[in-house]
Amino acid sequence: MLKVIKNRLEQGYRTSKYPKEPINLYKRFRGLPKVDNDCDGALVQRCADACPQEAIDAVTKQIDLGRCVFCGLCETLSEGKFVCFTQNFEMGTASRDDLFTCGDLPALAEHSKKHFKKLFGRSLQLRQISAGGCNACEADINVLNTPFFDLSRFGIQFVASPRHADGIHVTGPISKNMRQATLSTYEAVPSPKVVIASGACAISGGPFYGSDEIVGDLNSLIPVDLYIPGCPPHPLTTLHALLNYFK
Amino acid sequence: MAELLEIKNNERVQRAAIPHLEFADFRQELLDFAVAGGQVVQLFAYQDSGLLKLLAVLRNDKLYVAGCDAPDTFASLTVESEKFHMFEREIGEQYGLEPKGHPWLKMVRYHANYTGKKDLFGNDYSQDIPGNYPYFTVDGETVHEVAVGPVHAGIIEPGHFRFQCCGERVFHLEIQLGYQHRGVEKLLQSVPFKRLPIIAETIAGDTTIGHSLCQAQAIESLACLKIDEGAGIVRSIALELERIANHVGDLGALSLDAAFNPPAAYFGRIRGDYLNLSQILSGNRFGRGLVRPGGVTKIMGDEQKGLLIDKLTELTPQVEHVNDLIFSAPSVLARFENTGTVNYADAEKLGLVGYAGRACGLAYDARVAFPTEVYAGLPANTNHKTDGDVCSRAMVRREEIIHSTTLINTLLGKTEEAKSYIPEIPKLAPTSFVVSINEGWRGEVSHCILTDTDGKILRYKVKDPSFHNWIGLALALRDEGISDFPICNKSFNLSYCGFDL
């Protein structure tokens, strides 16, 4: 018993003040990329060719955050002259098109569907579906339940049964072997329901794009309401997206 | 062993130098090796100019390789040694070659084979998983079956578990996976080179460093790239941070499964702190974008070193205090001790690796047996409780946290700095073979690459430690209460995606 109290005192209060107070992530963290539109076309082309995810459009100079895995190669290659990754982790969008960006994203809160705010603003229960990814997305969703993030203080919870859920949160490129289970879980959620695609895999197939063992993007299976980019999305990216879209 | 070629970890070998045996001799060599206490690192089929061949990498205190032509059907090795059971199932599924007499010839990941041969399992792959899958059943009036998954109650990966029970007592647990199969090996053999590191990092997200190290080392060997010691230091630190973060998280979760909540809350948060240390090194909590063939993308300067040292100084005593809280709570120990026991003999027969193996008394640690990077100059760990139960697996992890922290502190004291890294596409040596082995946090991770006459990748074989260890979990459940499943499962914490590829 004494040990419990001693540890409790040592641990103290650890819950973050975000979103009331901003959080600064370490400068090496690769968040929202910022593109320099005046960059030399040849350098842009070189970055586009080298991009393992083929996420860079050399003509429009846009980066597709739905494909990008934030590996930082374009920043290294261009020495920051074409792409610079900022520490801004607020990257969720309400449409797939908005993920094609030069570094500006529309304010998510203004693009959310109003009836979702009314329905789920005070209480949101989500069923998570892991569908063919690498388990990094899942790991960083679980983190939201630790004391630092303490997701449930916002009235948001991940629940066991789809029957108890208001929507599904999907990670992974939907392997063919998870296609039916994903659909069945979706169907088991009562309407009205929300669909969240989280991570490069669920949005575009991620690192596994082109594989014939995957569906590749959730939206081709079920209409997606909220996109959360990243590989995996930082827990704060997810938290920001959930709060702004539903609150 | 006369007919096997001794090799070194990450040694580039001309394929012509690998002994090519008659199948009967190959089979006998492998069986003799396994019976004498050796283990299988890799055993797989590949296609070379229209012909199917087999290749085996074996280990005792050294590494060996040998190959042969693959017969369409062959006498199963598993009948004589269980060490081959998963490898033969995989060969059957991937290439349609039939190990005759295999006692448990079932699908591994549920996909059509690569050769267009007749499917061994009689499956039509337009049908959903699991197709024709003959579940093991137990008959009897008091016997009942519990089926769980693929979608589980928590935020975890998909898999299907079937328990044959009498009341609360589990006779048998069958674990059927494949839901996470996304065609990793096929991709690695067919995509442009630039995509390889990204795919390696996502074979198993929690083993990002383990898998990307294996790939980087294998490519460096094939492309004759030398990396400086500074990069080796950063890579080793990243691997140890990965180990600590996962062990800390799992010990917290184990405590939660024993209904003791405070350590779960503390370790949940502290695990995140270790992930943030990886982020300081690499810019990503899982170490993504750090390890690349040729070195590391980010150098570790005085600033990063300082941040790491400060945070480790703060965290280390906290971790020890929380561990003390867990391991001195009688209610926790009562749940951990004598639960989910796998004995030494079974563990040896199945070739369990990593902490699951060490907790049963199999001391194998790839950092000691086949050291890469800077591990040759670092001290080994020893484990004190090796009874094969949940408690042993938890204790081994606790000891590994302490050991890894010591290693990181030693490495942070070194002054060699990694040179800055230049991204380029290397050229691989033609008709060569390399096998790479590292001790990931779960155990032995291994990548094997064969190149063709043009230096293109002919076969890329990946093995995650979970490939060996899932059967260990099934054994741990024999004769246990079904309510002990969560605690047994967490004590192994195996990878679905690393297994499913």
Side-chain angles (χ1 to χ4, degrees):
Chain A
M1 190 63 207
L2 278 176
K3 272 185 194 164
V4 175
I5 296 167
K6 238 174 99 185
N7 268 282
R8 181 70 193 83
L9 289 174
E10 182 176 43
Q11 292 297 323
Y13 181 78
R14 298 283 184 170
T15 304
S16 134
K17 298 264 192 309
Y18 182 85
K20 280 189 185 138
E21 288 174 19
I23 290 188
N24 293 319
L25 295 178
Y26 186 60
K27 63 184 178 190
R28 280 191 177 177
F29 170 73
R30 292 181 292 276
L32 182 64
K34 187 91 191 145
V35 167
D36 183 350
N37 267 313
D38 302 326
C39 179
D40 170 44
L43 186 57
V44 178
Q45 189 62 53
R46 221 180 118 220
C47 290
D49 291 343
C51 177
Q53 289 300 103
E54 288 167 18
I56 301 172
D57 185 329
V59 181
T60 60
K61 296 185 182 172
Q62 282 179 327
I63 296 180
D64 178 2
L65 297 187
R67 294 184 72 98
C68 180
V69 292
F70 300 79
C71 71
L73 180 62
C74 48
E75 187 179 48
T76 309
L77 272 183
S78 70
E79 292 166 346
K81 288 185 191 112
F82 169 47
V83 183
C84 224
F85 283 89
T86 69
Q87 282 65 60
N88 181 0
F89 52 79
E90 301 180 344
M91 292 188 283
T93 67
S95 93
R96 179 73 180 89
D97 290 342
D98 287 341
L99 288 173
F100 295 85
T101 182
C102 288
D104 295 306
L105 294 174
L108 180 62
E110 290 157 25
H111 287 75
S112 93
K113 292 177 185 158
K114 290 288 176 269
H115 68 285
F116 281 159
K117 288 202 177 202
K118 190 160 166 266
L119 284 168
F120 307 132
R122 286 161 60 84
S123 160
L124 176 68
Q125 319 287 313
L126 292 170
R127 171 64 241 194
Q128 210 282 326
I129 307 174
S130 165
C134 77
N135 199 31
C137 284
E138 292 80 352
D140 260 354
I141 294 299
N142 269 319
V143 158
L144 289 174
N145 291 320
T146 62
F148 181 81
F149 298 98
D150 193 15
L151 187 67
S152 50
R153 74 196 147 118
F154 301 107
I156 304 172
Q157 258 152 356
F158 285 93
V159 293
S161 169
R163 300 278 189 219
H164 301 161
D166 303 310
I168 54 170
H169 173 280
V170 182
T171 51
I174 333 290
S175 57
K176 277 192 179 158
N177 290 344
M178 267 306 282
R179 199 188 68 92
Q180 188 50 51
T182 304
L183 286 172
S184 304
T185 309
Y186 172 72
E187 280 154 17
V189 175
S191 290
K193 50 191 162 186
V194 60
V195 177
I196 303 170
S198 178
C201 281
I203 302 174
S204 71
F208 313 107
Y209 72 90
S211 168
D212 50 13
E213 300 290 342
I214 60 168
V215 173
D217 79 299
L218 179 63
N219 199 42
S220 69
L221 212 59
I222 308 166
V224 172
D225 298 299
L226 174 61
Y227 295 88
I228 306 177
C231 187
H234 193 282
L236 287 168
T237 308
T238 305
L239 184 58
H240 166 264
L242 294 179
L243 294 182
N244 278 268
Y245 194 72
F246 294 106
K247 289 279 160 186
Chain B
M1 246 163 31
E3 311 219 38
L4 307 173
L5 175 70
E6 188 188 326
I7 52 168
K8 293 204 165 59
N9 191 8
N10 288 319
E11 182 190 4
R12 182 179 65 257
V13 178
Q14 277 297 314
R15 278 171 51 203
I18 298 174
H20 196 77
L21 314 176
E22 290 294 319
F23 177 76
D25 296 338
F26 178 79
R27 183 177 187 277
Q28 202 50 52
E29 284 285 335
L30 263 56
L31 285 172
D32 291 348
F33 194 89
V35 170
Q39 294 288 356
V40 189
V41 179
Q42 300 266 15
L43 172 59
F44 59 87
Y46 66 102
Q47 204 156 16
D48 182 22
S49 34
L51 291 172
L52 288 177
K53 297 175 181 173
L54 297 176
L55 196 93
V57 178
L58 308 167
R59 68 168 163 91
N60 41 33
D61 53 349
K62 298 195 178 84
L63 280 174
Y64 303 88
V65 64
C68 73
D69 285 332
D72 276 356
T73 59
F74 56 92
S76 167
L77 284 75
T78 307
V79 180
E80 292 177 50
S81 166
E82 292 87 343
K83 289 170 184 174
F84 301 96
H85 77 119
M86 280 311 300
F87 293 100
E88 288 194 324
R89 280 171 64 181
E90 186 185 47
I91 289 168
E93 178 167 270
Q94 291 186 331
Y95 289 86
L97 305 170
E98 188 181 356
K100 276 244 186 274
H102 191 296
W104 197 253
L105 190 60
K106 302 185 182 188
M107 65 91 160
V108 182
R109 308 180 175 110
Y110 196 70
H111 63 80
N113 66 44
Y114 306 159
T115 54
K117 282 185 194 292
K118 187 171 162 285
D119 189 72
L120 284 190
F121 315 101
N123 279 324
D124 163 10
Y125 290 93
S126 63
Q127 304 280 312
D128 278 308
I129 189 171
N132 294 324
Y133 190 90
Y135 285 102
F136 182 79
T137 51
V138 180
D139 287 329
E141 232 175 79
T142 56
V143 175
H144 67 102
E145 188 177 83
V146 180
V148 187
V151 179
H152 299 255
I155 306 175
I156 39 172
E157 298 179 80
H160 185 72
F161 299 88
R162 251 182 218 211
F163 301 86
Q164 309 293 330
C165 305
C166 175
E168 292 281 296
R169 186 171 149 221
V170 178
F171 288 141
H172 179 71
L173 159 63
E174 181 158 10
I175 301 167
Q176 178 240 311
L177 301 174
Y179 296 90
Q180 295 280 68
H181 179 61
R182 53 223 188 272
V184 165
E185 284 182 7
K186 262 204 285 183
L187 280 175
L188 288 168
Q189 285 158 209
S190 59
V191 299
F193 190 88
K194 64 180 181 179
R195 289 182 61 185
L196 296 192
I198 306 293
I199 296 173
E201 287 176 337
T202 49
I203 291 169
D206 52 24
T207 316
T208 294
I209 300 292
H211 277 288
S212 53
L213 265 185
C214 275
Q215 180 178 80
Q217 290 165 2
I219 299 223
E220 281 152 10
S221 169
L222 288 173
C224 304
L225 295 173
K226 281 261 169 291
I227 72 153
D228 48 281
E229 200 184 337
I233 291 172
V234 176
R235 287 174 171 194
S236 306
I237 291 177
L239 188 64
E240 296 311 317
L241 281 174
E242 185 167 270
R243 192 180 323 277
I244 299 176
N246 282 298
H247 284 343
V248 163
D250 282 354
L251 284 173
L254 270 169
S255 181
L256 187 68
D257 281 343
F260 189 38
N261 288 23
Y266 306 151
F267 270 170
R269 194 266 308 171
I270 292 172
R271 172 178 168 276
D273 279 347
Y274 282 105
L275 294 178
N276 287 338
L277 292 183
S278 293
Q279 184 167 285
I280 285 172
L281 277 185
S282 70
N284 178 286
R285 284 158 58 88
F286 295 84
R288 298 215 165 143
L290 180 68
V291 179
R292 289 292 180 269
V296 286
T297 58
K298 304 268 186 216
I299 56 171
M300 182 174 65
D302 288 340
E303 180 186 325
Q304 287 79 30
K305 264 190 192 177
L307 287 166
L308 256 66
I309 291 169
D310 288 352
K311 198 70 191 174
L312 286 173
T313 312
E314 178 197 324
L315 290 175
T316 307
Q318 287 186 23
V319 169
E320 209 21 66
H321 296 158
V322 180
N323 264 327
D324 182 43
L325 185 59
I326 297 175
F327 287 95
S328 61
S331 61
V332 172
L333 291 176
R335 294 280 282 119
F336 281 10
E337 283 175 345
N338 301 316
T339 303
T341 305
V342 181
N343 64 41
Y344 173 86
D346 286 347
E348 198 280 330
K349 265 198 244 171
L350 294 165
L352 300 193
V353 294
Y355 52 76
R358 288 192 283 277
C360 301
L362 295 168
Y364 174 61
D365 180 335
R367 294 173 293 176
V368 179
F370 311 111
T372 61
E373 305 301 340
V374 295
Y375 284 105
L378 294 171
N381 191 25
T382 41
N383 301 121
H384 297 94
K385 185 167 166 55
T386 54
D387 302 331
D389 55 357
V390 169
C391 195
S392 301
R393 286 186 286 277
M395 283 294 281
V396 167
R397 284 149 173 268
R398 179 189 189 178
E399 288 163 348
E400 289 190 5
I401 292 171
I402 298 169
H403 175 249
S404 294
T405 308
T406 315
L407 296 188
I408 295 174
N409 284 327
T410 308
L411 292 173
L412 285 171
K414 297 199 181 227
T415 49
E416 289 85 354
E417 214 172 77
K419 288 189 198 71
S420 64
Y421 149 90
I422 308 143
E424 57 187 55
I425 305 284
K427 194 160 167 33
L428 307 185
T431 52
S432 299
F433 153 90
V434 66
V435 65
S436 172
I437 298 172
N438 282 285
E439 186 72 16
W441 73 274
R442 265 193 201 91
E444 179 192 79
V445 183
S446 173
H447 289 204
C448 186
I449 304 180
L450 297 174
T451 58
D452 64 12
T453 47
D454 300 324
K456 287 211 178 66
I457 295 174
L458 176 74
R459 179 78 163 104
Y460 197 124
K461 188 78 199 74
V462 177
K463 191 202 67 187
D464 188 88
S466 304
F467 194 67
H468 292 282
N469 285 0
W470 273 109
I471 188 77
L473 173 60
L475 275 195
L477 255 289
R478 292 240 168 120
D479 246 352
E480 283 293 332
I482 191 167
S483 53
D484 281 336
F485 175 69
I487 205 165
C488 291
N489 185 33
K490 191 48 83 178
S491 71
F492 280 90
N493 192 9
L494 299 169
S495 174
Y496 300 68
C497 53
F499 177 94
D500 284 344
L501 298 177

